[in-house]
Amino acid sequence: MKIAVTGTTGHLGRLTIEALLQGDTEVSDVIALARDTERASQSLRADMEIRYADYDSSETLDAALTGVDTLVLISSNAVGQRSRQHRNVIDAAQRAAVSRIVYTSVLGAREARFSPVAGEHVVTEDLLHASGIPTTILRNGWYTENFVDSARQAMETGELLGNTHGGKIASASRADYAQAAAVVAATDGHEGQTYELSGDWAWTYADLAVILTELSGRDVHSRDVSEEFHLDALVALAGMDEALAGFVVAVDQAIAAGELAKQTGELSVLIGHPTTDVTQTLAEALSR
Ligand SMILES: NC(=O)c1ccc[n+]([C@@H]2O[C@H](COP(=O)([O-])OP(=O)(O)OC[C@H]3O[C@@H](n4cnc5c(N)ncnc54)[C@H](OP(=O)(O)O)[C@@H]3O)[C@@H](O)[C@H]2O)c1
């Protein structure tokens, strides 16, 4: 059975390949897809098949998906372009008679009201269901690693700024989500399932400040501010461009609304162990 994984120059794609190989999957049964095959080859095993696949080019996708049984479609990072890109992949998978698609969506995609990313995932989930290809949806919660940059900054300034208003985040490490993708891709019985995946512990920015105090040895406090204040601070003080600052503020709004807090326990069940401790993930990421 050939399992192809997209986005293998990215974090989650590479970790998914690693997790497949750490399980029972042979390297000869894995195909890494990338739009920069040279870069992919630098971080993958030398004996792994790597195929060129650009979500923006149906021709490359047709060639890349030939003979593939299970496709792990790691969602694209081109926010705003993703519905179209994912449609290209799903159409090519239909033409190539791919037997199964595993897609990485976002936690609570259909109930989300504030999340700036949920819309494109819902469109993709609908496209997958309409395609008739047996599908497994992995609605991934937030990565703990998303907070590394703000953690670094907070450890420098002593202040963790946000507009989460005490909202919680049930984050898990990328490696946890990757392991779940590998388990689902390599084992039977997941067709038609939608898994809501999240960490075993939901934490607030105040909790994060305590962790950062522990890790840095200096006092870090969380400071909850209005959306407008946070946006201005990100642009004026941190030098972030307006679009990215707007995205960060919108994510905090989603957190404030509880959209990333859901602790379902489904991730630890799939991977067979508790999700990785938030402090451990941050400590490792901050040390790199
Ligand atoms: N749950 C969360 O907290 C969270 C946070 C951030 C993102 N995400 C989503 O999860 C996905 C995986 O996360 P990640 O950390 O692995 O992201 P990442 O490191 O940014 O990887 C994204 C991958 O998408 C590939 N890609 C982008 N455009 C492409 C195209 N036109 N054709 C083929 N490949 C293309 C990139 O290729 P290049 O290396 O060539 O650019 C890269 O391999 C993201 O793409 C995003 O949809 C989730």
Side-chain angles (χ1 to χ4, degrees), residues 8-9 32 34 36-46 48 50:
T8 55
T9 48
D36 184 339
T37 52
E38 177 60 34
R39 195 149 45 81
S41 70
Q42 288 161 11
S43 58
L44 296 170
R45 268 174 60 160
M48 175 160 304
I50 301 173

Side-chain angles (χ1 to χ4, degrees), residues 117-181:
V117 299
E120 289 177 299
H121 287 299
V122 169
V123 169
T124 306
E125 289 188 11
D126 288 343
L127 290 170
L128 284 164
H129 293 313
S131 75
I133 301 174
T135 295
T136 308
I137 309 282
L138 301 177
R139 289 197 183 142
N140 289 348
W142 235 225
Y143 307 149
T144 301
E145 290 91 335
N146 290 349
F147 299 91
V148 170
D149 287 345
S150 51
R152 259 203 195 99
Q153 201 181 9
M155 289 192 302
E156 270 168 36
T157 61
E159 192 170 82
L160 179 68
L161 208 59
N163 54 280
T164 56
H165 312 323
K168 292 187 170 184
I169 306 136
S171 70
S173 70
R174 277 199 189 90
D176 293 333
Y177 294 113
Q179 196 184 347

Side-chain angles (χ1 to χ4, degrees), residues 14-264:
R14 182 180 52 76
L15 289 167
T16 301
I17 298 251
E18 277 175 23
L20 280 167
L21 299 181
Q22 275 160 16
D24 293 332
T25 307
E26 299 294 332
V27 69
S28 54
D29 285 332
V30 180
I31 303 170
L33 307 182
R35 67 172 163 176
D36 184 339
T37 52
E38 177 60 34
R39 195 149 45 81
S41 70
Q42 288 161 11
S43 58
L44 296 170
R45 268 174 60 160
D47 54 351
M48 175 160 304
E49 182 178 0
I50 301 173
R51 293 184 184 173
Y52 177 52
D54 183 344
Y55 301 148
D56 292 316
S57 158
S58 296
E59 220 170 81
T60 67
L61 295 169
D62 283 339
L65 296 182
T66 304
V68 168
D69 298 299
T70 295
L71 172 66
V72 180
L73 171 54
I74 305 280
S75 54
S76 169
N77 59 4
V79 175
Q81 306 295 316
R82 299 192 287 187
S83 305
R84 181 185 50 76
Q85 292 181 327
H86 296 163
R87 179 194 293 273
N88 288 343
V89 179
I90 296 162
D91 288 350
Q94 273 185 313
R95 290 191 293 273
V98 166
S99 312
R100 189 155 73 101
I101 298 184
V102 177
Y103 172 67
T104 61
S105 179
V106 72
L107 186 68
R110 288 192 185 261
E111 302 94 62
R113 288 170 45 234
F114 293 97
S115 165
V117 299
E120 289 177 299
H121 287 299
V122 169
V123 169
T124 306
E125 289 188 11
D126 288 343
L127 290 170
L128 284 164
H129 293 313
S131 75
I133 301 174
T135 295
T136 308
I137 309 282
L138 301 177
R139 289 197 183 142
N140 289 348
W142 235 225
Y143 307 149
T144 301
E145 290 91 335
N146 290 349
F147 299 91
V148 170
D149 287 345
S150 51
R152 259 203 195 99
Q153 201 181 9
M155 289 192 302
E156 270 168 36
T157 61
E159 192 170 82
L160 179 68
L161 208 59
N163 54 280
T164 56
H165 312 323
K168 292 187 170 184
I169 306 136
S171 70
S173 70
R174 277 199 189 90
D176 293 333
Y177 294 113
Q179 196 184 347
V183 166
V184 164
T187 57
D188 293 330
H190 304 288
E191 291 83 355
Q193 300 291 327
T194 295
Y195 295 106
E196 299 274 356
L197 303 180
S198 60
D200 296 337
W201 179 49
W203 49 271
T204 62
Y205 276 16
D207 296 321
L208 179 56
V210 171
I211 291 173
L212 298 179
T213 299
E214 241 176 73
L215 291 177
S216 66
R218 67 164 293 184
D219 272 350
V220 178
H221 297 279
S222 65
R223 183 173 164 213
D224 195 56
V225 295
S226 69
E227 286 67 32
E228 296 73 23
F229 186 98
H230 194 193
L231 187 74
D232 285 349
L234 290 171
V235 173
L237 305 177
M240 210 178 258
D241 73 62
E242 287 247 4
L244 182 57
F247 186 87
V248 171
V249 168
V251 168
D252 271 12
Q253 279 180 301
I255 294 169
E259 292 180 6
L260 296 169
K262 200 155 61 163
Q263 288 164 271
T264 65

